[in-house]
Amino acid sequence: MQRPLCASGIFQFCTNHEILEYLDQRWPSANRPCRGHHWPCDVSDNFSDAALVLIGHGSTVNADSATPTCQHADALRQRGLFAQVREAFWKQEPYVWQVLRGVFAPRVFVVPLFISDGYFTEEVIPRELGFRRPGETNFARAQQRGGQTLHYCGPVGTHSSMTEVLLARAREIVQTFPFPRAPKPSDTALFIAGHGTGNNENSRQAIEQQAALIRGRQLYAEVHAVFMEEDPRIGDCGRLAHVKNIVMVPFFISDGLHSFEDIPVMLGVPRPVVRERLRQGQPTWRNPTERDGKRIWYTAAIGSEPHLSDVILERVREAAGPC
Amino acid sequence: MNPDMRAFLAALDTEIVFGQVAVRRLERGFELRHESDRSAAADNLTTLKGTELRTWSQQAAGGAFRPLKSAPNLRAGWRALAADSAALELLLHYLYPGAVADWFAAQAAAPPITSYRQFTARQTGMYRITTMLQDAIAGAAIRACCHVDFCLKRRLWSVEGLEADAAGAKSLIPCLEPCALLLEFARKVARLEQNDAPPSEEPQADAAEGDFDAPSNPRRKRFGLEKQALAAKRAVE
Ligand code: SF4
C-alpha cells in the first residue's frame, strides 16, 4: 500500500479506510500513538516545538562530505518549520556526541543522512547519541531524556520516497544536457550505482529496492542496480543496457572521490584525463558521452538533490506519528 | 531564546573574544570579526553574510581544508553583522559549531566531561585500538594533538597522568571530550607504536592537518617531540 500522505503532508485527501490501513501497518494497535478515531488530526507540519538534527558522516580531509548535510539543514532552516535545525557529523563539528548539548526543544528528531541501514545508522550514531548502550543489540527509537522526547528516525536512503529523488535526478540531467535531444525514459536504461560490499552498509539492498520500485512504475525501458565492488559492475552498463541511452545516478549522499573520479574511470574515461579535469576544476564526466554505441548521462550524487529535504521531513512525520 | 545563548548574551557586556572571534554589541544587534581585526576600519573588511561565514571558515589561508574549526588559523579580514540573537547564534554556529552550547554546559555544577578512557572504551571497529595506548603514550598523543598550535579549545577531559588545560588557557571554548581528530590521531599513534618505526629525520613541508598517514603531518611531528620529552623524563626518573 502506498503511504496515504498527500503531497502537502496532511492526511485530508485520504479516505478513512486508507488511514486505518496505514495505521495498522505502521503501528501495531497495541502501541499505536493514537487509535485513529479522531482522524484526520494534526499530523500536520507543526514542528514549532521541535528540533531537527541531521546527521552526516563528514570528513577530516575534505569539505565535500559535509556539503549535502549542510545544504539540507540550510534549506529546512529556511522553511522555518522547526524551532531549531542542527547538523552534526561523525568526523566534523558539531560531533554526534556533542550536538544534543545545544538542542533544547521538547521534541527532537534525529535523521541520519545515510543511504542505508548499517554500521553507522544502527551502531555508531545511536551509541554516540546515547540511544544505545555498548553491547545492546536493540534500542528504543523514541526515548525520554529530562524534559525532552528524542526520536531516532530511519535513514533517508531507505525511505520509499527516495524514488522521487532518484527520478528527479535522472530527469534533470537529460533536460540540462539534451544533446542531441533529450531521450524519452521509455528509450532509456536507468542505472542506480552504489558502493556494494566492503563498506559495512547494506547499500546493495537499498539500491536494489529502489531499482525494483522504479521498475514497477514502468517509466524506463530498463532499470538496473550496479556497484563499484560487486557484480553487476558499473563498467558493465553498456553491455547490460539493451537501449541506446543510459542514465547513471550514483546512490551516494556526497560527491567525492567515488563519484568524481572512480565512477567516471569505470565508465571508460582514462584516469589521467579525469585527474586533469579535476585539477582544472572541470566536470570529470561530459554529458552525454558516447561509448561503445551507447550515450551515457551521469548525474551528481543524489545527496544534493533538493527533494531530499522532503524525504527528511517524511522521516520526521513518520517518527512523530499521528496526534 | 535557548539557555546557552541567554547565558552567552549575559556574559557579553560590550565585547567578548570567543575563539579567534571578537563579538561586539552594537546599538542594534551584534558585530563579529577576527580578533586581529579589532581595530580595523569596517570599510577595510569584507562583509560576510550568513552561510558565507561558514564557507569562509572552511578554508585556511592557501585554501587548505580546516577539519577542526577551533584550529588557530581562522582567516582574518572580514566582519559579519547579526540583527538579533537568533542570527548571532547561527553565525557563531558556523564559526564554532556547538561551541556556545559547550561553553554553557561547562558552567554546570557537574559539567558533562568524558575522559579519554571513557570515550575510547565505547568505540568499535577500527577505533578499538585506541584503548590500547598506555597512559603515558596517550598523554603524549593528547599533548601533541591538542597543542595550542593546532587547537584553541581548552581541554577539560584527560587521561591518567595528564593535567587538563588550566583556566584561561587557549580560549573560552571548552573541550568536553575527545574530538574526531584526536580519535583518528590516537589510532595512528597506536599503529605507529605497534610498528615502532623511527620517525623520519628528513624535513618536509607540512602535510594536510587531517592526513595522519604522512610523517610530515604537523601533529605527528609534534608527537615526535612529545615522545622525546617523555623519554628524557623517564631517563631522569
Ligand atoms: S580533543 Fe584536543 S584537538 Fe580535539 S577539540 Fe579537544 S582540545 Fe582540540
Side-chain angles (χ1 to χ4, degrees), chain B residues 133-193:
Chain B
L133 285 185
Q134 290 170 356
D135 288 341
I137 298 294
I142 295 164
R143 237 193 282 269
C145 187
C146 309
H147 194 275
V148 69
D149 285 355
F150 309 127
C151 179
L152 291 175
K153 282 191 194 175
R154 181 186 155 211
R155 183 177 46 77
L156 299 181
W157 58 272
S158 199
V159 73
E160 198 59 39
L162 180 72
E163 295 282 303
D165 287 334
K170 293 167 131 190
S171 82
L172 280 185
I173 306 175
C175 176
L176 297 168
E177 68 265 289
C179 70
L181 279 167
L182 188 289
L183 185 64
E184 200 68 56
F185 190 68
R187 174 172 176 261
K188 187 71 207 178
V189 166
R191 304 284 296 261
L192 291 172
E193 289 297 303

Side-chain angles (χ1 to χ4, degrees), chain A residues 224-285:
Chain A
H224 301 271
V226 282
F227 305 93
M228 293 180 70
E229 293 186 355
E230 276 176 73
D231 288 335
R233 306 260 165 173
I234 289 168
D236 293 334
C237 65
R239 202 173 42 76
L240 292 169
H242 296 99
V243 288
K244 185 177 170 64
N245 305 300
I246 291 176
V247 172
M248 175 86 62
V249 184
F251 204 69
F252 296 120
I253 292 296
S254 319
D255 279 309
L257 192 65
H258 289 332
S259 66
F260 287 147
E261 190 171 327
D262 297 337
I263 296 181
V265 170
M266 290 171 186
L267 291 176
V269 187
R271 200 172 283 272
V273 174
V274 169
R275 294 232 164 116
E276 183 54 25
R277 286 178 183 170
L278 264 180
R279 208 182 54 77
Q280 296 193 5
Q282 294 173 357
T284 51
W285 180 262

Side-chain angles (χ1 to χ4, degrees), chain A residues 55-62 65-66 88-97 120, chain B residues 65-68 126-127 179-181 183-185 187 210 212:
Chain A
I55 311 255
H57 189 281
S59 162
T60 53
V61 289
N62 71 68
S65 177
F89 304 92
W90 168 235
K91 292 277 189 180
Q92 277 168 255
E93 305 147 285
Y95 296 111
V96 178
W97 51 85
F120 278 101
Chain B
F65 171 59
R66 297 177 74 227
L68 192 64
M126 64 196 264
Y127 295 107
C179 70
L181 279 167
L183 185 64
E184 200 68 56
F185 190 68
R187 174 172 176 261
F212 297 141

Side-chain angles (χ1 to χ4, degrees), chain B residues 46 108 230:
Chain B
T46 308
L230 186 66

Side-chain angles (χ1 to χ4, degrees), chain A residues 105-318:
Chain A
R107 289 195 297 162
V108 182
F109 296 92
V110 181
V111 181
L113 228 69
F114 281 68
I115 52 153
S116 52
D117 291 315
Y119 177 59
F120 278 101
T121 59
E122 289 301 297
E123 192 166 331
V124 176
I125 300 169
R127 180 192 75 216
E128 294 300 329
L129 288 169
F131 268 82
R132 176 185 171 157
R133 273 187 286 274
E136 263 179 7
T137 47
N138 230 328
F139 62 95
R141 313 262 152 174
Q143 296 189 6
Q144 205 66 35
R145 213 176 286 173
Q148 291 178 304
T149 308
L150 310 178
H151 298 271
Y152 185 65
C153 309
V156 287
T158 54
H159 196 274
S160 57
S161 64
M162 279 304 276
T163 314
E164 306 308 327
V165 176
L166 273 162
L167 291 173
R169 263 280 112 116
R171 230 177 5 246
E172 181 188 85
I173 196 80
V174 294
Q175 280 162 4
T176 315
F177 302 98
F179 312 118
R181 64 190 167 275
K184 289 203 277 278
S186 54
D187 296 330
T188 306
L190 177 65
F191 284 80
I192 308 169
H195 194 284
T197 53
N199 66 346
N200 265 332
E201 308 294 303
N202 305 321
S203 62
R204 181 176 191 117
Q205 213 181 335
I207 290 167
E208 283 177 340
Q209 186 196 355
Q210 285 303 327
L213 284 170
I214 297 178
R215 217 174 278 131
R217 293 196 186 193
Q218 300 186 332
L219 285 168
Y220 283 86
E222 304 164 26
V223 186
H224 301 271
V226 282
F227 305 93
M228 293 180 70
E229 293 186 355
E230 276 176 73
D231 288 335
R233 306 260 165 173
I234 289 168
D236 293 334
C237 65
R239 202 173 42 76
L240 292 169
H242 296 99
V243 288
K244 185 177 170 64
N245 305 300
I246 291 176
V247 172
M248 175 86 62
V249 184
F251 204 69
F252 296 120
I253 292 296
S254 319
D255 279 309
L257 192 65
H258 289 332
S259 66
F260 287 147
E261 190 171 327
D262 297 337
I263 296 181
V265 170
M266 290 171 186
L267 291 176
V269 187
R271 200 172 283 272
V273 174
V274 169
R275 294 232 164 116
E276 183 54 25
R277 286 178 183 170
L278 264 180
R279 208 182 54 77
Q280 296 193 5
Q282 294 173 357
T284 51
W285 180 262
R286 305 235 160 101
N287 277 312
T289 294
E290 290 260 357
R291 249 185 229 274
D292 304 328
K294 309 278 172 169
R295 201 173 283 143
I296 308 176
W297 281 262
Y298 172 54
T299 77
I302 40 145
S304 56
E305 168 63 40
H307 287 82
L308 200 64
S309 295
D310 296 318
V311 181
I312 294 166
L313 283 177
E314 286 288 293
R315 280 298 191 206
V316 170
R317 290 180 187 123
E318 208 175 76

Side-chain angles (χ1 to χ4, degrees), chain A residues 59-63 66-67 70-71 73-74 77 84-87 90-95 97-99 101-105 119 123-124 127-128 134, chain B residues 2-4 51 54 65 67-70 89-90 93-94 97-98 101-102 105 112 119 122-125 127 153 176-181 183-184 210:
Chain A
S59 162
T60 53
V61 289
N62 71 68
T67 305
C70 294
Q71 174 197 328
D74 291 347
R77 212 174 268 135
Q84 195 182 14
V85 177
R86 277 281 179 267
E87 56 278 28
W90 168 235
K91 292 277 189 180
Q92 277 168 255
E93 305 147 285
Y95 296 111
W97 51 85
Q98 175 189 18
V99 67
R101 285 201 286 268
V103 173
F104 300 93
Y119 177 59
E123 192 166 331
V124 176
R127 180 192 75 216
E128 294 300 329
Chain B
N2 289 328
D4 55 344
T51 54
R54 178 173 65 208
F65 171 59
L68 192 64
K69 296 286 182 73
S70 50
E89 182 176 12
L90 207 51
H93 177 66
Y94 292 149
D102 283 1
F119 188 81
R122 68 179 192 229
Q123 299 306 318
T124 49
Y127 295 107
K153 282 191 194 175
L176 297 168
E177 68 265 289
C179 70
L181 279 167
L183 185 64
E184 200 68 56

